[in-house]
Amino acid sequence: MTSMKSWNVQISIKENADTVSAEARLSGAASGSAMVGEGVARRNPADENVPAIGDELAAARAMSSLTNQLLHQAATDIEQHTHKPVERLVV
C-alpha cells in the first residue's frame, strides 16, 4: 500500500536596511506541531546592495536551521523506538 503525505514550508522574509531575516515554518510534519527555522543575513557596508542575495542567504540559513531540527527530531524518535543512541545522522 502506498500513502502520500504533504509537508509544506513557508518562508517569510523581512528586510531592514542592511539586515534580512527569514523564517522557515514547516507544517504537516508527523509531529503535528510546526517547526520554525530562523536565519539572518547582514550586508557589509562596503558591498553593493543586492537585496536578492540577502534574501537567499537568510532563507538558506532558515532552512538549514529547520533541517537540523528535523534531524534532531528523527534521532530522538529513533532512540525512543530502538532504545539505542543514534551514532550518525548527517545531511
Side-chain angles (χ1 to χ4, degrees):
M1 176 187 243
T2 301
S3 69
M4 185 166 180
K5 299 175 184 178
S6 179
W7 292 11
N8 298 298
V9 176
Q10 179 177 353
I11 300 174
S12 301
I13 298 172
K14 295 179 187 174
E15 297 177 8
N16 296 314
D18 294 333
T19 303
V20 178
S21 60
E23 177 183 279
R25 182 174 295 272
L26 173 68
S27 59
S31 68
S33 61
M35 287 186 178
V36 178
E38 296 178 347
V40 175
R42 291 177 185 83
R43 183 177 69 86
N44 183 322
D47 292 341
E48 181 182 351
N49 186 11
V50 183
I53 294 172
D55 293 354
E56 292 163 351
L57 283 171
R61 290 172 177 159
M63 288 190 293
S64 178
S65 172
L66 191 56
T67 298
N68 289 325
Q69 290 176 52
L70 282 167
L71 284 170
H72 177 74
Q73 184 63 53
T76 299
D77 291 347
I78 291 167
E79 290 172 349
Q80 288 177 349
H81 284 81
T82 64
H83 306 290
K84 295 178 184 177
V86 172
E87 295 181 19
R88 291 164 92 184
L89 266 186
V90 294
V91 177

